[in-house]
Amino acid sequence: MAMSAKPVREEIREERGSWGLVLGLVLFALALLMVRARLEPPAPKGADAPAAEFSGARAVALLRALAGDGSPHPSGSPANDRIRETIVAELRRVGYEPTVQEGVACSPGGNCALVRNVVARQGVPLKGKGLFQHLDGQDRAVLLMAHYDSVQAGPGVGDDLSGVATVLETARALKAGPPPERPVILLLTDGEEIGLLGAELFVNRHPWAEEVEAVVNLEARGTSGPSLMFETIGDDALLVHRYAGAAPHPITSSLYATIYEALPNDTDLTVFKNRKDRKYHGLNFAFIRSPSRYHTSEDTVENLSPASLQHHGDNALAAMRALSTGSWFMVSGSDAVFFDVLGFGVVRWPKGWTLAIAILALILVVLASWRRRDGMGKGVLFGLLGFLGAVVLAALLALGLSKAIGGATPGLWVDGPQPEIAAFWLLALAVVVALAAAVSRRAGSAGLWSGVWIGWSVLGVVLAIVAPGISYLFLVPALVAGIVGLISRKPAASLIPAVVAALLWMPILLPLYDGLGKPALVVIGALAAALFTSLAPLVPGSGRLGRRLLPAAALVLALVSAGVAFATAPYSEETPQSASIQHYQEAGSTEARWLVRTNRPFPAAMRKVAKFGEAPVMAYPWGPPYFRAFQAPAPRLDLNAPQVSVLEDSAAGGKRRLRLLLTSNRQSPTAGILIPEEAKLESAKVEGQEVPLWGSHKTGPMKGSWTELAMLTMPPEGVEMEVVLGAAQPLDWYVYDMSPGLPPAGEALVKARLPRAVTVQDGDTTVVARKMRI
């Protein structure tokens, strides 16, 4: 009898603990619902809101006035002029004295244009102070910025007239409230979409740029969702502290900034960040839901969320008031690790503390493991292998599932992605529970607890060294696990760090698909698996329900969700297919081509109009190789090709210097030259402005065997260019011009485009090129 009592007691304990895993999953589900609710932007305030507050309703009225008839407004267009005049008139109406800064600017990508910024201020400008001279606290200015140009394909309401309307309503509220202690500068830039050119013009050539201490930039990569503070520049600890203390609903994370730094994306804030001779500090805000409308004809007032506009304004007004008050800028700064807690507030600490916190978490987890029976024997090894194996296996299976779904549901984003996303969450849950059950016989509950949390804390230490901005996801739950583990060894205590992990991880996991599209699915699968391992110590005591039925049910549901994703139409009005058409022809050739850049499947109706190839191929003779399009023969048109005239050609010191005149005989708004690598281009100027051939924007110059110099606001008389080459021999160059719209012969293709397809970026265009020996 005595020998059988222990197994009976263990069985009783196992049955009593069988609801721990179920309770953990219920708490995870509640956390998911809570996080989802807190990620919603606030309801817009009415037009009768107090004058010193930001009103979403007033901002929407401004947005409608700016958007007008919904025409695209790229730099240099009449629509662009109208919007600039509307901005100037509104600033004057609310008591500012705006000016227009005009000039040619060039980007590291080789794009140049004549751009016009609108600039205004609240506060007296500096007089007689040099760039490097110390400025006292009353002199340092805070700048609020958005851009008012759009791409050619759409009206650019989200990107970035929403930011412009937010700046204008914020400017009005600042006038109505207490005067700021330091100058406030308003900057509405032109030419952002073609290379951040307006920001380049301001930073390099406006006298007020030397006064600026901090910058608040407003952007969008969609038409809805919360306004995320996703990037910081300069020493951010004090900026985040000031912003977090003032914002009513902050949604932010140092993880966002870490990820954004690795992405090939730029905003106007990049120009301030890359200024070498002085250090700017800044905050960048954007909303990113409904990303398939970004840079398309669907980026309209009707599709923009007023709640997102309200959240944008709450953030902008709070940041501007906080940063234009007090003496934070006089204190030596540092960087921070930070994250919001359900939008109620922001937890932050100096980045330099991160490694010490991570090591403390590891020490506490090891001590708590030592107190547990079998916590530091072979059990911990099996627990650690179970933790690592679950994450790796889930990532591999997620990669396979992603490839399968990607083949069946094309496009970076698809309509109704919830089944896709659910499949990866459920797959991760199935893998984690199944592996935890498999190793539990060797590891036991104590070994699993130790292995899992030692794994979390070790990753926290590693990330504290290589990516501190991300490390909090691991080290904070591990720190909580260590503290709780020292206090209690009961299985239910495992729920506390698991719930903490859920509340930290879910605000990151939920927006990942909006931000990255389908490439995020594999990341979601791996990260969800890591999150679910926090529940793994509860698996040994979960009985047959947890060890067998739960992983089987999760796997079945994952397959069902994947099946629903396979069966769902990938495109809709909410998530349209992109399909831009171009007519291309080259002087001296008897042929012309239709080029269509689109996601699969290629619209079958368009194949009935022209004989398109089965696969996309390189679009132009000069590349770049990644720019591919479906191609079909097109009728050749009587279009004059652009021309480059050599005004001067001289050689000295082994260098060849050329002064050129680029003209568009069709009066196209965009024209450019492409210089082969063999010419060994050393420097270039367009209209007297130096082109930064080795610039520091993430997008940078064209990579390949050609360098492009383009003017995107071509005057009728053409533009002068100067180049210095390291090679003296004549070579074949290309010159091209591009105009919006298609010739009449393209009407049949436009009609054949799917009803749920939209143009993107440059939209439908006509391109004429010429090969020239120069």
Side-chain angles (χ1 to χ4, degrees), residues 471-505:
S471 62
Y472 75 88
L473 289 176
F474 288 93
L475 69 85
V476 171
L479 185 64
V480 173
I483 295 171
V484 172
L486 287 172
I487 296 172
S488 173
R489 288 180 286 177
K490 294 181 180 180
S494 297
L495 288 172
I496 297 175
V499 170
V500 170
L503 292 175
L504 291 181
W505 284 57

Side-chain angles (χ1 to χ4, degrees), residues 140 345 529 753 772:
R140 299 200 177 198
R753 187 159 44 197
M772 298 186 67

Side-chain angles (χ1 to χ4, degrees), residues 216-301:
V216 176
N217 187 51
L218 302 172
E219 263 289 359
R221 197 166 180 265
T223 58
S224 63
S227 174
L228 309 174
M229 199 279 280
F230 69 96
E231 184 190 18
T232 63
I233 65 169
D235 300 329
D236 62 24
L238 290 172
L239 267 74
V240 172
H241 170 73
R242 301 287 295 184
Y243 159 68
H249 189 69
I251 305 293
T252 187
S253 168
S254 52
L255 177 142
Y256 295 154
T258 304
I259 292 177
Y260 182 77
E261 183 64 26
L263 296 176
N265 299 79
D266 289 313
T267 69
D268 278 335
L269 193 64
T270 304
V271 177
F272 290 83
K273 177 181 179 180
N274 291 337
R275 183 68 182 257
K276 301 301 182 184
D277 56 355
R278 70 163 300 169
K279 190 174 186 178
Y280 291 101
H281 310 278
L283 305 174
N284 215 348
F285 296 88
F287 45 86
I288 62 172
R289 280 191 204 158
S290 308
S292 59
R293 289 173 172 157
Y294 171 70
H295 282 186
T296 75
S297 56
E298 294 297 302
D299 187 8
T300 62
V301 173

